[in-house]
Amino acid sequence: MNRAAIFEFFRRLAENNPDPQTELEFGNTYQLLVAVTLSAQATDVGVNKATRALFERVKTPQDMLDLGEDGLKEHIKTIGLFNSKAKNVMAMAEILVRDHGGEVPADRDALTELPGVGRKTANVVLNCAFGMETFAVDTHIFRVANRTGMAKGKTPLAVEKGLEKKVPQPFRVGSHHWMILHGRYICKARTPECWRCDVVDLCGFKQKVLEKKKG
């Protein structure tokens, strides 16, 4: 995709959804960090079900420490890998209280030093909480970027670097949300629903599915 096509790609998605947001539910930056950490290899729907009651009780890292690891596990036991995630979330809370005054740092390096926080999680937090122009490459974005030809790459980092170079203003802050939602609901992994895609004419994917399968 050339720059004009990329601009038009996001312009159309923005026209349909002017203010894209993460589908994770949270009330503050710390809750967002916890939700994104829990969402690894899990669905947003599943995380939201587990965190609704949790977030009524836990609003700060100190609240999490007061709840304790066993209490956290009770809330998140429906989420995959909940034992290891609980350990990471508790260790993260301890570091935030000890080293950051209970606040989530607005810095990628500081975030990725926290247990259970990788580059993708850090990018989501920086984007959603602090409005930074970051590109959190999950499986949906990786697929959409490669499939459309917008930013091809063999690794998430390569795709992220490609998007950093190619995504124009005024779409940089919202771009990863538009791409995630597009990948989740239209440009699906097994059968992309090209027949109802608003940007199908801009896409470089050769095996387009232009008719809905019957049955």
Side-chain angles (χ1 to χ4, degrees):
M1 295 177 75
N2 60 32
R3 291 188 179 275
I6 293 172
F7 185 94
E8 181 62 14
F9 179 95
F10 287 112
R11 189 199 67 76
R12 292 183 197 175
L13 296 185
E15 189 173 54
N16 292 333
N17 183 7
D19 186 29
Q21 301 290 332
T22 176
E23 293 187 321
L24 289 170
E25 298 172 2
F26 62 96
N28 60 36
T29 302
Y30 174 63
Q31 290 180 342
L32 171 65
L33 175 61
V34 171
V36 179
T37 301
L38 294 176
S39 72
Q41 295 178 291
T43 65
D44 288 0
V45 171
V47 172
N48 289 339
K49 286 181 179 178
T51 57
R52 281 176 192 137
L54 174 67
F55 288 164
E56 287 180 8
R57 179 168 179 179
V58 173
K59 295 177 171 57
T60 68
Q62 187 59 56
D63 290 343
M64 188 67 77
L65 295 177
D66 293 343
L67 176 65
E69 188 172 327
D70 288 341
L72 174 59
K73 285 181 180 179
E74 275 302 305
H75 282 282
I76 67 169
K77 60 187 178 183
T78 56
I79 299 174
L81 307 175
F82 75 93
N83 282 311
S84 60
K85 288 178 180 179
K87 285 183 170 58
N88 284 334
V89 169
M90 297 308 298
M92 178 199 303
E94 188 174 336
I95 292 170
L96 288 173
V97 169
R98 186 187 70 210
D99 298 341
H100 299 283
E103 299 294 326
V104 177
D107 177 82
R108 184 186 283 132
D109 291 339
L111 285 169
T112 54
E113 287 176 359
L114 297 172
V117 178
R119 186 178 180 91
K120 185 190 78 173
T121 295
N123 282 342
V124 172
V125 172
L126 293 174
N127 180 274
C128 296
F130 301 107
M132 295 188 187
E133 296 175 0
T134 57
F135 303 86
V137 180
D138 69 350
T139 55
H140 296 301
I141 290 182
F142 187 79
R143 180 174 67 256
V144 171
N146 275 287
R147 188 180 273 173
T148 60
M150 183 182 299
K152 291 186 176 182
K154 293 184 178 179
T155 66
L157 183 58
V159 170
E160 179 185 338
K161 295 298 184 184
L163 292 172
E164 283 181 350
K165 290 179 180 179
K166 294 183 177 182
V167 176
Q169 295 289 11
F171 308 115
R172 292 179 66 83
V173 171
S175 60
H176 99 260
H177 292 299
W178 283 308
M179 293 181 77
I180 286 172
L181 295 171
H182 191 66
R184 185 172 290 163
Y185 298 111
I186 304 292
C187 197
K188 299 177 181 179
R190 290 189 178 181
T191 306
E193 298 181 2
C194 308
W195 67 85
R196 65 185 190 95
C197 175
D198 291 329
V199 291
V200 65
D201 57 308
L202 305 170
C203 172
F205 187 51
K206 293 181 180 178
Q207 291 83 42
K208 292 175 181 172
V209 184
L210 297 175
E211 292 186 8
K212 185 177 181 180
K213 292 183 180 180
K214 295 180 180 180

